[in-house]
Amino acid sequence: KQEVTQIPAALSVPEGENLVLNCSFTDSAIYNLQWFRQDPGKGLTSLLLIQSSQREQTSGRLNASLDKSSGRSTLYIAASQPGDSATYLCAVRGGYSTLTFGKGTMLLVSP
Amino acid sequence: EAQVTQNPRYLITVTGKKLTVTCSQNMNHEYMSWYRQDPGLGLRQIYYSMNVEVTDKGDVPEGYKVSRKEKRNFPLILESPSPNQTSLYFCASSWDSGSYEQYFGPGTRLTVT
């Protein structure tokens, strides 16, 4: 059964710092990996989707990488801002149409 | 505007009283699914649907039912809710079950007393 782990569980940084969030998964037979953002009490906003054949995707200050063979993905946030404060979730899409989520990294960016 | 909508957004009910949470998407997506989110457990898939009249169990289907009579709607039914079904529920949709990203609704916070 697929298991997704996100490290760290929480992270606090000052504004302007570059940071990396980590995601690892146990079964490398995936279709894709998706990073989401969740604000408190709100739904999930899709940030980046990486297909299994891709190595990375970029959107603005965000860059996500995927190393399928080692079961790892990273989300790089450049020049962090207070508005980036949220919980970041990693999810992998595998067989049987399932989407397995990690428990998330809670990010706080202080001014 | 492309979106997934859920109703109600908040619901407090009592044990055993049947309820339905509706989910609708306006993107003509084939794939829809339901998740629950609990502290310390993260998001877990309850049921999913590959297309009209095609549904299947996710990781935690016990105590839930779904139906997919129309492409845009995917209601979640709790025939006899229990307190352990108190949770935050999300509906999601995507073009298919593999390559495309999933879009999530705003969530329904359910409390069963």
Side-chain angles (χ1 to χ4, degrees):
Chain A
K1 183 182 174 184
Q2 179 76 268
E3 292 181 7
V4 179
T5 303
Q6 291 187 244
I7 294 173
L11 181 62
S12 181
V13 301
E15 182 177 5
E17 200 162 288
N18 302 326
L19 57 99
V20 175
L21 308 181
N22 296 291
C23 172
S24 62
F25 47 96
T26 56
D27 186 349
S28 61
I30 64 170
Y31 285 108
N32 56 50
L33 183 145
Q34 197 168 354
W35 283 94
F36 294 89
R37 168 190 173 131
Q38 184 176 26
D39 294 286
K42 301 286 182 63
L44 279 68
T45 301
S46 178
L47 297 173
L48 289 164
L49 172 72
I50 311 177
Q51 303 295 349
S52 62
S53 58
Q54 297 175 320
R55 300 285 294 194
E56 65 179 299
Q57 282 286 337
T58 297
S59 176
R61 294 182 293 108
L62 305 179
N63 176 275
S65 68
L66 174 64
D67 184 341
K68 200 176 83 158
S69 60
S70 68
R72 294 178 190 276
S73 175
T74 61
L75 179 66
Y76 175 82
I77 303 177
S80 57
Q81 303 171 357
D84 294 331
S85 298
T87 296
Y88 290 81
L89 296 163
C90 163
V92 297
R93 200 157 197 184
Y96 302 104
S97 304
T98 57
L99 190 67
T100 305
F101 283 83
K103 292 189 171 68
T105 294
M106 188 181 303
L107 173 65
L108 177 63
V109 181
S110 52
Chain B
E1 179 190 356
Q3 60 182 352
V4 179
T5 57
Q6 296 178 226
N7 282 292
R9 294 289 315 280
Y10 303 90
L11 179 60
I12 300 174
T13 190
V14 296
T15 299
K17 185 176 181 182
K18 181 179 178 180
L19 66 92
T20 299
V21 183
T22 65
C23 172
S24 182
Q25 50 92 6
N26 63 0
M27 295 168 278
N28 203 34
H29 285 168
E30 291 191 347
Y31 181 88
M32 297 185 75
S33 59
W34 276 102
Y35 300 85
R36 61 177 289 174
Q37 186 176 33
D38 302 288
L41 296 176
L43 275 138
R44 295 175 292 168
Q45 191 173 45
I46 303 171
Y47 269 95
Y48 62 91
S49 169
M50 306 276 276
N51 212 325
V52 176
E53 301 293 1
V54 181
T55 63
D56 210 343
K57 298 176 181 178
D59 294 325
V60 288
E62 295 78 21
Y64 304 95
K65 286 176 59 177
V66 292
S67 69
R68 188 93 181 273
K69 293 183 171 54
E70 306 167 280
K71 200 171 189 178
R72 63 181 292 130
N73 296 322
F74 190 45
L76 180 69
I77 303 157
L78 285 72
E79 296 260 351
S80 182
S82 63
N84 64 12
Q85 292 178 298
T86 293
S87 187
L88 180 58
Y89 291 86
F90 290 101
C91 179
S93 72
S94 63
W95 283 111
D96 69 1
S97 60
S99 306
Y100 291 91
E101 64 184 308
Q102 291 209 17
Y103 295 85
F104 279 73
T108 294
R109 186 166 293 280
L110 172 66
T111 302
V112 183
T113 62

